Amino acid sequence: MDVVKEVKLLKYQMSLMKHMINAEEHPFFMFAIDHEFEEDQVKAFLKILGVFSCRIYGENISIWYQNDQLFSQFNLPLDKLYALEQPTLEELKSVVAKIFYQEFELEYLLCSLKKQCIQMEVCDFFLQRLKTDLK
């Protein structure tokens, strides 16, 4: 099969999958599909949410969340990422821009994660910052 046919087939299969996935149960996965996120982008972002969780609660950053090799491909400053201070909204925006290379509504991303029960406390932390930032 030539490359053009393979791409068309993959796009069709992706379309079928989007119809099969319950967007109410998996809003973040739908967000990732709609924005064509790559596997490493999603992995890095979810790990960084774990790092942010540790930082929010003043905990040591678990080895499980540290992945210098994965983070380095996105040119993320590891010294800032692993800092012991609470993350800021500006830091989140910077991380999102470096990982995903595109702009989208940050509130929608956080809400989709929260609805899918992914790092809900971290999402709440940043959603509160977004609300106060808008005032």
Side-chain angles (χ1 to χ4, degrees), residues 40-41 44 70-76 98-101:
D40 280 350
Q41 291 173 306
L70 179 63
F71 298 155
S72 66
Q73 68 180 302
F74 299 107
N75 296 318
L76 296 170
K98 288 182 178 188
I99 290 177
F100 297 118
Y101 317 114

Side-chain angles (χ1 to χ4, degrees), residues 34-64:
D34 289 343
H35 290 85
E36 299 178 352
F37 293 165
E38 295 174 9
E39 183 179 6
D40 280 350
Q41 291 173 306
V42 171
K43 282 182 178 179
F45 186 65
L46 294 179
K47 289 239 181 222
I48 287 170
L49 290 178
V51 169
F52 284 167
S53 177
C54 293
R55 289 174 53 189
I56 288 168
Y57 292 107
E59 301 169 355
N60 286 332
I61 298 168
S62 166
I63 297 294
W64 191 84

Side-chain angles (χ1 to χ4, degrees), residues 3-130:
V3 175
V4 174
K5 283 186 177 184
E6 278 188 61
V7 170
K8 284 183 179 181
L9 176 62
L10 286 172
K11 286 186 176 196
Y12 174 66
Q13 290 172 338
M14 180 84 86
S15 174
L16 290 175
M17 286 176 47
K18 285 176 69 172
H19 291 290
M20 293 169 33
I21 295 173
N22 183 342
E24 294 297 316
E25 290 179 21
H26 305 285
F28 174 68
F29 293 156
M30 289 299 286
F31 190 91
I33 290 170
D34 289 343
H35 290 85
E36 299 178 352
F37 293 165
E38 295 174 9
E39 183 179 6
D40 280 350
Q41 291 173 306
V42 171
K43 282 182 178 179
F45 186 65
L46 294 179
K47 289 239 181 222
I48 287 170
L49 290 178
V51 169
F52 284 167
S53 177
C54 293
R55 289 174 53 189
I56 288 168
Y57 292 107
E59 301 169 355
N60 286 332
I61 298 168
S62 166
I63 297 294
W64 191 84
Y65 290 123
Q66 295 179 33
N67 193 331
D68 297 357
Q69 185 177 357
L70 179 63
F71 298 155
S72 66
Q73 68 180 302
F74 299 107
N75 296 318
L76 296 170
L78 299 177
D79 57 332
K80 286 186 179 182
L81 188 60
Y82 298 145
L84 296 177
E85 60 203 30
Q86 288 200 338
T88 64
L89 190 55
E90 289 306 314
E91 184 179 6
L92 175 66
K93 289 177 182 178
S94 173
V95 164
V96 166
K98 288 182 178 188
I99 290 177
F100 297 118
Y101 317 114
Q102 58 182 297
E103 289 189 24
F104 43 79
E105 191 64 42
L106 192 55
E107 183 177 5
Y108 183 66
L109 171 64
L110 292 168
C111 286
S112 72
L113 286 159
K114 185 177 173 182
K115 285 179 186 174
Q116 198 168 321
C117 300
I118 298 172
Q119 293 289 355
M120 294 170 57
E121 296 84 9
V122 175
C123 294
D124 283 336
F125 177 86
F126 285 116
L127 286 167
Q128 277 301 116
R129 282 358 161 251
L130 275 173

